[in-house]
Amino acid sequence: MLLRDLMALLTGANAALRERFPEHVEELIPELIDLVIDETDPRLKAVPGVRAKLEPSVRGTVEYLLAIGERIPRSALELSPGEWATSPEINAIFAAPEDISRVLGQSEDLRRYFQSHGDSAAYAWLGAERQERRVLGVEMSGEVLRQEVAQINVSFATPRVVFPAATVQDARIELGMAIFRGLLGVVMQRIETAQARTKNLGEQKAMLQIRLRRLKGRSADIDALAGADVTKALEIKAAERALKQAI
C-alpha cells in the first residue's frame, strides 16, 4: 500500500490522508527503495551499491511527481460516440464516432476492469501518439488571402484507453503509479547496463534473469499511454536471447 498511498498524497488526496504522512516526503525514500527492490527482485539487495544508485532517482521521481501533481486533470470528459460532434478534444483524436466504440472495445484494461468490478462505467486515461506534418496551406493576412503558407498539421494516431478506475481521484493515483514505475524502469535499465559490463559470467546471468523477470512481471507504466506492447514483447525476446547466450 505504500506506493498507492504515496501516489494519493502526491496527486492531491484528501487532507486526512496527508496527515498520516511525514512532514518531509524524503523520510519515505528508504521504504520506497526497499519497495522498488522487492517488486523487481529481492536478489538486487546483494548487488553492490544498488541502494546508493537507486536513491537519487527515487528521490527525483518523488520530487517530479510533487511538481506535476497539480497538473494532472481533476475533471473528466465523457468518451462516447455521442460526444464526438460536440467535444473538440475528442473530435481532434477520433476521425469518426465509430472509432470511439472500436477503441473502447479493444482496451484490454477496460475489459479486465469491468470483469473484476462489474461496473458499467469507469474513469480512465486516453492516450494517443502526436504526429506533426509540414504542409502548405492558406491564411488570411489582414484582408489578403495568402497561398502556399508553410504550416504544421497536427494529428493523433493509435488512441488507447488505459488505467481505468472507479473515481477521478483513483484514476489520478493510477497515472501517478504508472509514471513512478516508468521512471524507475529507466533507472533499472541503467543499473542492468552497468552490471552487464562485469566480466563475471555469474553476475551477468543473474542480472539477465532479473531483467527478464521484471519485463514479464511488471505492471503497466506510463508508456502504455503511447502503446508500448510491441516494444515490451521485443525487449522480452532480446533478454531471452541474451540469457541463452550467457548460459
Side-chain angles (χ1 to χ4, degrees), residues 74-136:
R74 296 179 181 273
S75 59
L77 297 172
E78 180 181 335
L79 183 59
S80 67
E83 294 294 311
W84 181 83
T86 57
S87 173
E89 295 91 348
I90 295 175
N91 184 272
I93 295 177
F94 297 94
E98 53 268 24
D99 292 337
I100 298 175
S101 299
R102 176 179 53 79
V103 169
L104 290 173
Q106 291 176 344
S107 173
E108 291 293 334
D109 284 7
L110 274 181
R111 186 178 296 111
R112 285 192 295 265
Y113 177 83
F114 289 136
Q115 287 176 346
S116 61
H117 291 74
D119 297 338
S120 59
Y123 293 89
W125 295 95
L126 175 64
E129 179 185 350
R130 178 188 170 103
Q131 298 180 338
E132 295 186 357
R133 186 166 56 94
R134 294 185 179 277
V135 298
L136 296 178

Short mmCIF file of all heavy atoms in Angstrom, two decimals, residues 74-136:
data_model
loop_
_atom_site.label_atom_id
_atom_site.label_comp_id
_atom_site.label_asym_id
_atom_site.label_seq_id
_atom_site.Cartn_x
_atom_site.Cartn_y
_atom_site.Cartn_z
N ARG A 74 -8.27 17.05 -12.93
CA ARG A 74 -9.18 16.63 -11.86
C ARG A 74 -10.60 16.42 -12.38
O ARG A 74 -11.49 16.05 -11.61
CB ARG A 74 -9.19 17.67 -10.74
CG ARG A 74 -7.86 17.83 -10.02
CD ARG A 74 -7.95 18.89 -8.94
NE ARG A 74 -6.67 19.07 -8.27
CZ ARG A 74 -6.27 18.34 -7.23
NH1 ARG A 74 -7.06 17.39 -6.75
NH2 ARG A 74 -5.10 18.55 -6.67
N SER A 75 -10.83 16.71 -13.63
CA SER A 75 -12.15 16.50 -14.21
C SER A 75 -12.03 15.55 -15.40
O SER A 75 -10.93 15.24 -15.85
CB SER A 75 -12.77 17.83 -14.66
OG SER A 75 -11.94 18.47 -15.61
N ALA A 76 -13.18 15.08 -15.91
CA ALA A 76 -13.16 14.08 -16.98
C ALA A 76 -14.10 14.47 -18.10
O ALA A 76 -15.06 15.22 -17.91
CB ALA A 76 -13.55 12.72 -16.42
N LEU A 77 -13.80 13.96 -19.29
CA LEU A 77 -14.68 14.08 -20.44
C LEU A 77 -15.41 12.75 -20.64
O LEU A 77 -14.86 11.69 -20.33
CB LEU A 77 -13.88 14.41 -21.70
CG LEU A 77 -13.13 15.74 -21.74
CD1 LEU A 77 -12.24 15.78 -22.98
CD2 LEU A 77 -14.09 16.91 -21.74
N GLU A 78 -16.61 12.81 -21.15
CA GLU A 78 -17.31 11.57 -21.48
C GLU A 78 -16.84 11.09 -22.85
O GLU A 78 -16.92 11.81 -23.83
CB GLU A 78 -18.82 11.78 -21.51
CG GLU A 78 -19.59 10.52 -21.87
CD GLU A 78 -21.10 10.72 -21.93
OE1 GLU A 78 -21.59 11.66 -21.27
OE2 GLU A 78 -21.77 9.95 -22.64
N LEU A 79 -16.31 9.87 -22.87
CA LEU A 79 -15.82 9.30 -24.13
C LEU A 79 -16.88 8.36 -24.68
O LEU A 79 -17.01 7.22 -24.26
CB LEU A 79 -14.51 8.55 -23.90
CG LEU A 79 -13.84 7.96 -25.16
CD1 LEU A 79 -13.52 9.06 -26.15
CD2 LEU A 79 -12.58 7.20 -24.78
N SER A 80 -17.67 8.86 -25.61
CA SER A 80 -18.73 8.08 -26.24
C SER A 80 -18.98 8.64 -27.64
O SER A 80 -18.68 9.80 -27.91
CB SER A 80 -20.02 8.15 -25.42
OG SER A 80 -20.55 9.46 -25.43
N PRO A 81 -19.51 7.82 -28.55
CA PRO A 81 -19.79 8.31 -29.91
C PRO A 81 -20.67 9.55 -29.92
O PRO A 81 -20.52 10.42 -30.79
CB PRO A 81 -20.49 7.11 -30.57
CG PRO A 81 -19.97 5.92 -29.83
CD PRO A 81 -19.81 6.37 -28.41
N GLY A 82 -21.58 9.66 -28.95
CA GLY A 82 -22.48 10.81 -28.92
C GLY A 82 -21.79 12.12 -28.63
O GLY A 82 -22.34 13.20 -28.93
N GLU A 83 -20.59 12.06 -28.03
CA GLU A 83 -19.85 13.28 -27.68
C GLU A 83 -18.93 13.75 -28.80
O GLU A 83 -18.35 14.83 -28.71
CB GLU A 83 -19.02 13.04 -26.41
CG GLU A 83 -19.84 12.79 -25.16
CD GLU A 83 -20.63 14.02 -24.76
OE1 GLU A 83 -20.04 15.11 -24.70
OE2 GLU A 83 -21.84 13.88 -24.51
N TRP A 84 -18.79 12.94 -29.84
CA TRP A 84 -17.82 13.25 -30.89
C TRP A 84 -18.10 14.59 -31.56
O TRP A 84 -17.16 15.37 -31.83
CB TRP A 84 -17.83 12.12 -31.93
CG TRP A 84 -16.84 12.32 -33.05
CD1 TRP A 84 -15.52 12.01 -33.04
CD2 TRP A 84 -17.10 12.88 -34.33
NE1 TRP A 84 -14.93 12.32 -34.23
CE2 TRP A 84 -15.89 12.87 -35.05
CE3 TRP A 84 -18.25 13.39 -34.95
CZ2 TRP A 84 -15.79 13.35 -36.36
CZ3 TRP A 84 -18.15 13.87 -36.24
CH2 TRP A 84 -16.93 13.85 -36.94
N ALA A 85 -19.35 14.91 -31.83
CA ALA A 85 -19.69 16.12 -32.57
C ALA A 85 -19.59 17.38 -31.72
O ALA A 85 -19.45 18.48 -32.27
CB ALA A 85 -21.11 16.00 -33.14
N THR A 86 -19.65 17.25 -30.39
CA THR A 86 -19.70 18.44 -29.53
C THR A 86 -18.43 18.68 -28.73
O THR A 86 -18.24 19.76 -28.18
CB THR A 86 -20.89 18.34 -28.55
OG1 THR A 86 -20.76 17.13 -27.77
CG2 THR A 86 -22.20 18.31 -29.31
N SER A 87 -17.56 17.67 -28.63
CA SER A 87 -16.33 17.81 -27.85
C SER A 87 -15.13 18.00 -28.77
O SER A 87 -14.73 17.07 -29.47
CB SER A 87 -16.11 16.57 -26.97
OG SER A 87 -14.85 16.64 -26.33
N PRO A 88 -14.51 19.19 -28.78
CA PRO A 88 -13.35 19.41 -29.67
C PRO A 88 -12.16 18.52 -29.30
O PRO A 88 -11.39 18.13 -30.18
CB PRO A 88 -13.03 20.89 -29.46
CG PRO A 88 -13.67 21.27 -28.16
CD PRO A 88 -14.88 20.40 -28.04
N GLU A 89 -12.00 18.20 -28.00
CA GLU A 89 -10.88 17.33 -27.60
C GLU A 89 -11.04 15.94 -28.18
O GLU A 89 -10.08 15.36 -28.71
CB GLU A 89 -10.80 17.25 -26.07
CG GLU A 89 -10.47 18.57 -25.38
CD GLU A 89 -11.72 19.36 -25.02
OE1 GLU A 89 -12.82 19.00 -25.50
OE2 GLU A 89 -11.60 20.32 -24.25
N ILE A 90 -12.25 15.40 -28.11
CA ILE A 90 -12.49 14.05 -28.64
C ILE A 90 -12.45 14.06 -30.16
O ILE A 90 -11.90 13.16 -30.80
CB ILE A 90 -13.85 13.52 -28.12
CG1 ILE A 90 -13.78 13.35 -26.60
CG2 ILE A 90 -14.22 12.21 -28.80
CD1 ILE A 90 -15.10 12.94 -25.97
N ASN A 91 -13.00 15.10 -30.77
CA ASN A 91 -13.01 15.22 -32.22
C ASN A 91 -11.60 15.31 -32.79
O ASN A 91 -11.34 14.83 -33.91
CB ASN A 91 -13.82 16.45 -32.64
CG ASN A 91 -13.97 16.57 -34.13
OD1 ASN A 91 -13.12 17.17 -34.78
ND2 ASN A 91 -15.03 15.99 -34.68
N ALA A 92 -10.67 15.89 -32.02
CA ALA A 92 -9.30 16.04 -32.50
C ALA A 92 -8.56 14.70 -32.56
O ALA A 92 -7.61 14.55 -33.34
CB ALA A 92 -8.54 17.01 -31.60
N ILE A 93 -9.00 13.73 -31.77
CA ILE A 93 -8.30 12.45 -31.70
C ILE A 93 -8.95 11.38 -32.56
O ILE A 93 -8.27 10.54 -33.16
CB ILE A 93 -8.23 11.98 -30.23
CG1 ILE A 93 -7.37 12.96 -29.42
CG2 ILE A 93 -7.67 10.56 -30.13
CD1 ILE A 93 -7.28 12.63 -27.96
N PHE A 94 -10.28 11.44 -32.68
CA PHE A 94 -11.00 10.42 -33.43
C PHE A 94 -11.56 10.98 -34.73
O PHE A 94 -12.19 12.04 -34.74
CB PHE A 94 -12.14 9.84 -32.59
CG PHE A 94 -11.68 9.13 -31.35
CD1 PHE A 94 -11.59 9.79 -30.14
CD2 PHE A 94 -11.30 7.79 -31.41
CE1 PHE A 94 -11.16 9.14 -29.00
CE2 PHE A 94 -10.87 7.12 -30.28
CZ PHE A 94 -10.79 7.80 -29.07
N ALA A 95 -11.32 10.27 -35.84
CA ALA A 95 -11.77 10.74 -37.14
C ALA A 95 -13.27 10.60 -37.32
O ALA A 95 -13.89 11.35 -38.08
CB ALA A 95 -11.04 9.99 -38.26
N ALA A 96 -13.87 9.64 -36.63
CA ALA A 96 -15.31 9.38 -36.78
C ALA A 96 -15.85 8.82 -35.47
O ALA A 96 -15.10 8.23 -34.68
CB ALA A 96 -15.57 8.41 -37.93
N PRO A 97 -17.16 8.97 -35.21
CA PRO A 97 -17.75 8.46 -33.96
C PRO A 97 -17.53 6.97 -33.75
O PRO A 97 -17.30 6.52 -32.62
CB PRO A 97 -19.23 8.80 -34.11
CG PRO A 97 -19.28 9.92 -35.09
CD PRO A 97 -18.15 9.67 -36.04
N GLU A 98 -17.60 6.18 -34.83
CA GLU A 98 -17.45 4.73 -34.68
C GLU A 98 -16.05 4.33 -34.23
O GLU A 98 -15.86 3.23 -33.69
CB GLU A 98 -17.80 4.01 -35.99
CG GLU A 98 -17.06 4.52 -37.22
CD GLU A 98 -17.83 5.61 -37.96
OE1 GLU A 98 -18.66 6.29 -37.32
OE2 GLU A 98 -17.59 5.75 -39.17
N ASP A 99 -15.06 5.21 -34.45
CA ASP A 99 -13.71 4.91 -33.99
C ASP A 99 -13.65 4.84 -32.46
O ASP A 99 -12.83 4.12 -31.90
CB ASP A 99 -12.73 5.96 -34.50
CG ASP A 99 -12.54 5.89 -36.01
OD1 ASP A 99 -12.79 4.82 -36.58
OD2 ASP A 99 -12.16 6.92 -36.60
N ILE A 100 -14.50 5.61 -31.81
CA ILE A 100 -14.53 5.62 -30.34
C ILE A 100 -14.97 4.25 -29.82
O ILE A 100 -14.35 3.68 -28.92
CB ILE A 100 -15.48 6.72 -29.83
CG1 ILE A 100 -14.97 8.10 -30.28
CG2 ILE A 100 -15.61 6.66 -28.31
CD1 ILE A 100 -15.89 9.24 -29.91
N SER A 101 -16.04 3.72 -30.40
CA SER A 101 -16.51 2.40 -29.98
C SER A 101 -15.45 1.34 -30.22
O SER A 101 -15.27 0.42 -29.40
CB SER A 101 -17.80 2.04 -30.74
OG SER A 101 -18.82 2.98 -30.47
N ARG A 102 -14.73 1.44 -31.34
CA ARG A 102 -13.69 0.45 -31.65
C ARG A 102 -12.57 0.49 -30.62
O ARG A 102 -12.13 -0.56 -30.13
CB ARG A 102 -13.14 0.71 -33.05
CG ARG A 102 -11.98 -0.20 -33.44
CD ARG A 102 -11.49 0.10 -34.84
NE ARG A 102 -11.18 1.51 -35.03
CZ ARG A 102 -10.04 2.08 -34.61
NH1 ARG A 102 -9.13 1.34 -33.97
NH2 ARG A 102 -9.82 3.36 -34.82
N VAL A 103 -12.11 1.70 -30.27
CA VAL A 103 -11.01 1.84 -29.32
C VAL A 103 -11.44 1.35 -27.93
O VAL A 103 -10.68 0.66 -27.24
CB VAL A 103 -10.53 3.30 -29.26
CG1 VAL A 103 -9.57 3.52 -28.09
CG2 VAL A 103 -9.84 3.67 -30.56
N LEU A 104 -12.64 1.69 -27.52
CA LEU A 104 -13.14 1.22 -26.22
C LEU A 104 -13.23 -0.30 -26.19
O LEU A 104 -12.87 -0.94 -25.20
CB LEU A 104 -14.51 1.84 -25.93
CG LEU A 104 -14.54 3.34 -25.64
CD1 LEU A 104 -15.98 3.84 -25.55
CD2 LEU A 104 -13.78 3.66 -24.36
N GLY A 105 -13.69 -0.89 -27.29
CA GLY A 105 -13.82 -2.34 -27.35
C GLY A 105 -12.49 -3.05 -27.38
O GLY A 105 -12.39 -4.21 -26.96
N GLN A 106 -11.42 -2.38 -27.85
CA GLN A 106 -10.10 -3.00 -27.95
C GLN A 106 -9.28 -2.86 -26.68
O GLN A 106 -8.21 -3.45 -26.57
CB GLN A 106 -9.33 -2.39 -29.13
CG GLN A 106 -9.88 -2.75 -30.49
CD GLN A 106 -9.14 -2.04 -31.62
OE1 GLN A 106 -8.43 -1.06 -31.39
NE2 GLN A 106 -9.32 -2.52 -32.83
N SER A 107 -9.76 -2.08 -25.71
CA SER A 107 -9.00 -1.84 -24.49
C SER A 107 -9.02 -3.05 -23.57
O SER A 107 -10.04 -3.38 -22.97
CB SER A 107 -9.55 -0.61 -23.75
OG SER A 107 -8.91 -0.47 -22.49
N GLU A 108 -7.87 -3.72 -23.44
CA GLU A 108 -7.76 -4.85 -22.53
C GLU A 108 -7.90 -4.40 -21.08
O GLU A 108 -8.45 -5.12 -20.24
CB GLU A 108 -6.42 -5.56 -22.72
CG GLU A 108 -6.28 -6.29 -24.05
CD GLU A 108 -7.23 -7.47 -24.15
OE1 GLU A 108 -7.60 -8.01 -23.09
OE2 GLU A 108 -7.60 -7.86 -25.27
N ASP A 109 -7.39 -3.19 -20.77
CA ASP A 109 -7.51 -2.66 -19.41
C ASP A 109 -8.97 -2.50 -19.02
O ASP A 109 -9.37 -2.85 -17.90
CB ASP A 109 -6.79 -1.31 -19.31
CG ASP A 109 -5.28 -1.45 -19.25
OD1 ASP A 109 -4.79 -2.58 -19.42
OD2 ASP A 109 -4.59 -0.43 -19.03
N LEU A 110 -9.78 -1.94 -19.92
CA LEU A 110 -11.19 -1.77 -19.63
C LEU A 110 -11.89 -3.11 -19.46
O LEU A 110 -12.72 -3.29 -18.55
CB LEU A 110 -11.87 -0.97 -20.76
CG LEU A 110 -11.84 0.55 -20.68
CD1 LEU A 110 -12.58 1.15 -21.87
CD2 LEU A 110 -12.44 1.06 -19.38
N ARG A 111 -11.55 -4.06 -20.33
CA ARG A 111 -12.19 -5.37 -20.26
C ARG A 111 -11.91 -6.04 -18.91
O ARG A 111 -12.82 -6.57 -18.26
CB ARG A 111 -11.71 -6.25 -21.41
CG ARG A 111 -12.44 -7.59 -21.50
CD ARG A 111 -11.99 -8.41 -22.68
NE ARG A 111 -12.33 -7.74 -23.95
CZ ARG A 111 -11.45 -7.21 -24.78
NH1 ARG A 111 -10.16 -7.28 -24.50
NH2 ARG A 111 -11.83 -6.62 -25.89
N ARG A 112 -10.65 -5.99 -18.50
CA ARG A 112 -10.30 -6.60 -17.21
C ARG A 112 -10.99 -5.86 -16.06
O ARG A 112 -11.45 -6.48 -15.09
CB ARG A 112 -8.78 -6.59 -17.03
CG ARG A 112 -8.04 -7.63 -17.85
CD ARG A 112 -6.60 -7.75 -17.40
NE ARG A 112 -5.87 -6.52 -17.66
CZ ARG A 112 -5.14 -6.32 -18.75
NH1 ARG A 112 -5.08 -7.25 -19.71
NH2 ARG A 112 -4.49 -5.19 -18.92
N TYR A 113 -11.05 -4.53 -16.16
CA TYR A 113 -11.67 -3.75 -15.09
C TYR A 113 -13.14 -4.10 -14.93
O TYR A 113 -13.62 -4.34 -13.81
CB TYR A 113 -11.51 -2.25 -15.38
CG TYR A 113 -12.19 -1.38 -14.35
CD1 TYR A 113 -11.56 -1.06 -13.15
CD2 TYR A 113 -13.48 -0.88 -14.57
CE1 TYR A 113 -12.19 -0.28 -12.20
CE2 TYR A 113 -14.11 -0.10 -13.62
CZ TYR A 113 -13.46 0.21 -12.44
OH TYR A 113 -14.10 0.97 -11.49
N PHE A 114 -13.88 -4.12 -16.02
CA PHE A 114 -15.31 -4.41 -15.95
C PHE A 114 -15.57 -5.85 -15.49
O PHE A 114 -16.54 -6.12 -14.78
CB PHE A 114 -15.98 -4.15 -17.30
CG PHE A 114 -16.07 -2.69 -17.64
CD1 PHE A 114 -15.78 -2.24 -18.92
CD2 PHE A 114 -16.47 -1.77 -16.70
CE1 PHE A 114 -15.87 -0.89 -19.24
CE2 PHE A 114 -16.57 -0.41 -17.00
CZ PHE A 114 -16.26 0.03 -18.28
N GLN A 115 -14.71 -6.77 -15.89
CA GLN A 115 -14.87 -8.16 -15.46
C GLN A 115 -14.66 -8.33 -13.96
O GLN A 115 -15.34 -9.13 -13.31
CB GLN A 115 -13.91 -9.07 -16.23
CG GLN A 115 -14.29 -9.28 -17.69
CD GLN A 115 -13.27 -10.11 -18.45
OE1 GLN A 115 -12.14 -10.32 -17.97
NE2 GLN A 115 -13.63 -10.57 -19.64
N SER A 116 -13.72 -7.57 -13.41
CA SER A 116 -13.40 -7.72 -11.99
C SER A 116 -14.26 -6.84 -11.09
O SER A 116 -14.48 -7.17 -9.92
CB SER A 116 -11.92 -7.40 -11.74
OG SER A 116 -11.63 -6.06 -12.12
N HIS A 117 -14.77 -5.70 -11.62
CA HIS A 117 -15.53 -4.78 -10.79
C HIS A 117 -17.04 -4.83 -11.04
O HIS A 117 -17.83 -4.45 -10.18
CB HIS A 117 -15.06 -3.34 -10.99
CG HIS A 117 -13.68 -3.08 -10.46
ND1 HIS A 117 -12.54 -3.54 -11.09
CD2 HIS A 117 -13.25 -2.43 -9.35
CE1 HIS A 117 -11.48 -3.17 -10.40
NE2 HIS A 117 -11.88 -2.50 -9.34
N GLY A 118 -17.43 -5.24 -12.23
CA GLY A 118 -18.84 -5.30 -12.54
C GLY A 118 -19.50 -3.95 -12.73
O GLY A 118 -20.74 -3.85 -12.74
N ASP A 119 -18.71 -2.90 -12.88
CA ASP A 119 -19.27 -1.56 -13.08
C ASP A 119 -19.70 -1.39 -14.53
O ASP A 119 -19.26 -2.11 -15.43
CB ASP A 119 -18.25 -0.48 -12.72
CG ASP A 119 -17.87 -0.52 -11.24
OD1 ASP A 119 -18.67 -1.06 -10.46
OD2 ASP A 119 -16.79 -0.03 -10.89
N SER A 120 -20.54 -0.38 -14.77
CA SER A 120 -20.98 -0.08 -16.13
C SER A 120 -20.25 1.13 -16.70
O SER A 120 -20.42 1.47 -17.87
CB SER A 120 -22.49 0.18 -16.16
OG SER A 120 -22.82 1.26 -15.30
N ALA A 121 -19.44 1.79 -15.88
CA ALA A 121 -18.68 2.97 -16.33
C ALA A 121 -17.38 3.03 -15.55
O ALA A 121 -17.24 2.42 -14.49
CB ALA A 121 -19.49 4.25 -16.13
N ALA A 122 -16.42 3.75 -16.09
CA ALA A 122 -15.12 3.87 -15.42
C ALA A 122 -14.46 5.19 -15.84
O ALA A 122 -14.79 5.77 -16.88
CB ALA A 122 -14.22 2.70 -15.79
N TYR A 123 -13.56 5.64 -15.00
CA TYR A 123 -12.70 6.77 -15.34
C TYR A 123 -11.36 6.20 -15.79
O TYR A 123 -10.81 5.31 -15.13
CB TYR A 123 -12.50 7.69 -14.14
CG TYR A 123 -13.77 8.41 -13.70
CD1 TYR A 123 -14.63 7.83 -12.78
CD2 TYR A 123 -14.11 9.65 -14.24
CE1 TYR A 123 -15.80 8.47 -12.39
CE2 TYR A 123 -15.27 10.29 -13.86
CZ TYR A 123 -16.12 9.70 -12.93
OH TYR A 123 -17.26 10.34 -12.56
N ALA A 124 -10.85 6.68 -16.91
CA ALA A 124 -9.61 6.14 -17.44
C ALA A 124 -8.85 7.25 -18.17
O ALA A 124 -9.33 8.39 -18.29
CB ALA A 124 -9.89 4.97 -18.38
N TRP A 125 -7.68 6.87 -18.69
CA TRP A 125 -6.85 7.83 -19.42
C TRP A 125 -6.82 7.49 -20.89
O TRP A 125 -6.69 6.32 -21.27
CB TRP A 125 -5.42 7.83 -18.85
CG TRP A 125 -5.39 8.32 -17.45
CD1 TRP A 125 -5.42 7.57 -16.30
CD2 TRP A 125 -5.38 9.69 -17.03
NE1 TRP A 125 -5.42 8.38 -15.20
CE2 TRP A 125 -5.39 9.68 -15.61
CE3 TRP A 125 -5.35 10.91 -17.70
CZ2 TRP A 125 -5.38 10.85 -14.86
CZ3 TRP A 125 -5.33 12.08 -16.95
CH2 TRP A 125 -5.35 12.04 -15.55
N LEU A 126 -6.96 8.51 -21.70
CA LEU A 126 -6.92 8.35 -23.15
C LEU A 126 -5.57 8.84 -23.65
O LEU A 126 -5.23 10.01 -23.49
CB LEU A 126 -8.06 9.15 -23.81
CG LEU A 126 -8.07 9.18 -25.35
CD1 LEU A 126 -8.31 7.78 -25.90
CD2 LEU A 126 -9.16 10.14 -25.85
N GLY A 127 -4.81 7.95 -24.25
CA GLY A 127 -3.51 8.31 -24.79
C GLY A 127 -3.51 8.16 -26.30
O GLY A 127 -4.28 7.40 -26.87
N ALA A 128 -2.64 8.93 -26.96
CA ALA A 128 -2.51 8.86 -28.41
C ALA A 128 -1.14 9.37 -28.80
O ALA A 128 -0.50 10.12 -28.06
CB ALA A 128 -3.60 9.67 -29.10
N GLU A 129 -0.69 8.95 -29.97
CA GLU A 129 0.61 9.40 -30.48
C GLU A 129 0.42 10.69 -31.28
O GLU A 129 -0.31 10.73 -32.27
CB GLU A 129 1.22 8.33 -31.40
CG GLU A 129 2.55 8.73 -31.99
CD GLU A 129 3.07 7.71 -32.98
OE1 GLU A 129 2.49 6.61 -33.06
OE2 GLU A 129 4.05 8.03 -33.70
N ARG A 130 1.08 11.75 -30.83
CA ARG A 130 1.01 13.04 -31.52
C ARG A 130 1.92 13.01 -32.74
O ARG A 130 3.09 12.64 -32.65
CB ARG A 130 1.44 14.18 -30.58
CG ARG A 130 1.46 15.56 -31.23
CD ARG A 130 2.08 16.57 -30.29
NE ARG A 130 2.33 17.84 -30.94
CZ ARG A 130 1.59 18.92 -30.79
NH1 ARG A 130 0.52 18.89 -29.99
NH2 ARG A 130 1.89 20.06 -31.40
N GLN A 131 1.36 13.38 -33.87
CA GLN A 131 2.13 13.40 -35.12
C GLN A 131 2.07 14.79 -35.74
O GLN A 131 1.00 15.41 -35.78
CB GLN A 131 1.57 12.36 -36.10
CG GLN A 131 1.66 10.93 -35.60
CD GLN A 131 1.10 9.93 -36.59
OE1 GLN A 131 0.29 10.27 -37.45
NE2 GLN A 131 1.51 8.67 -36.47
N GLU A 132 3.19 15.27 -36.22
CA GLU A 132 3.27 16.59 -36.86
C GLU A 132 3.76 16.42 -38.30
O GLU A 132 4.67 15.65 -38.57
CB GLU A 132 4.20 17.52 -36.08
CG GLU A 132 3.72 17.87 -34.69
CD GLU A 132 4.60 18.90 -34.01
OE1 GLU A 132 5.63 19.29 -34.63
OE2 GLU A 132 4.27 19.32 -32.89
N ARG A 133 3.14 17.16 -39.19
CA ARG A 133 3.50 17.08 -40.61
C ARG A 133 3.51 18.49 -41.19
O ARG A 133 2.57 19.28 -40.98
CB ARG A 133 2.49 16.21 -41.35
CG ARG A 133 2.83 15.93 -42.81
CD ARG A 133 1.96 14.79 -43.33
NE ARG A 133 0.53 15.08 -43.15
CZ ARG A 133 -0.23 15.64 -44.10
NH1 ARG A 133 0.29 15.97 -45.26
NH2 ARG A 133 -1.52 15.85 -43.88
N ARG A 134 4.59 18.83 -41.90
CA ARG A 134 4.68 20.15 -42.53
C ARG A 134 3.90 20.15 -43.84
O ARG A 134 4.10 19.28 -44.69
CB ARG A 134 6.15 20.52 -42.79
CG ARG A 134 6.94 20.71 -41.50
CD ARG A 134 8.35 21.20 -41.76
NE ARG A 134 9.09 21.39 -40.52
CZ ARG A 134 9.03 22.48 -39.77
NH1 ARG A 134 8.24 23.50 -40.15
NH2 ARG A 134 9.73 22.58 -38.66
N VAL A 135 3.01 21.13 -44.00
CA VAL A 135 2.18 21.22 -45.19
C VAL A 135 2.15 22.67 -45.67
O VAL A 135 2.59 23.59 -44.98
CB VAL A 135 0.73 20.74 -44.90
CG1 VAL A 135 0.73 19.28 -44.48
CG2 VAL A 135 0.08 21.61 -43.82
N LEU A 136 1.64 22.85 -46.87
CA LEU A 136 1.41 24.19 -47.42
C LEU A 136 -0.09 24.46 -47.41
O LEU A 136 -0.88 23.65 -47.90
CB LEU A 136 1.96 24.30 -48.84
CG LEU A 136 3.48 24.15 -48.98
CD1 LEU A 136 3.88 24.23 -50.45
CD2 LEU A 136 4.21 25.24 -48.18
#
